Amino acid sequence: GDAAGLSGGPLGTPAQRPLGRLSVSELRAHARAGHFGSGSMGPKVEAACRFVEAGGRLTVITSLDRITGAVAGTAGTVVEP
């Protein structure tokens, strides 16, 4: 993943780091810890988790300008079962 994906760790702290590839349970753990704002990335994280839980092979969270890299597997945050 790259900077156009999600970051985990307490927001605005040195512990915050890019999240490249992780499972739904790992992503949900970050969400429970409050690493994503409820009005910003929170809904996107929840949608990604639900998609994979409903049978999707994987999903990628990224920005539109990085979509080519996301499809190639070089950008964004990949969420898997």
Side-chain angles (χ1 to χ4, degrees), residues 41-72:
M41 291 310 297
K44 295 170 184 72
V45 166
E46 181 61 24
C49 289
R50 287 183 181 191
F51 177 79
V52 174
E53 288 170 336
R57 187 172 59 88
L58 62 82
T59 191
V60 180
I61 300 172
T62 192
S63 59
L64 187 56
D65 65 328
R66 304 284 179 128
I67 194 68
T68 302
V71 171

Side-chain angles (χ1 to χ4, degrees), residues 22-50:
L22 65 166
S23 68
V24 170
S25 60
E26 290 168 324
L27 185 56
R28 286 199 183 277
H30 282 281
R32 282 191 302 277
H35 297 174
F36 314 118
S38 62
S40 60
M41 291 310 297
K44 295 170 184 72
V45 166
E46 181 61 24
C49 289
R50 287 183 181 191

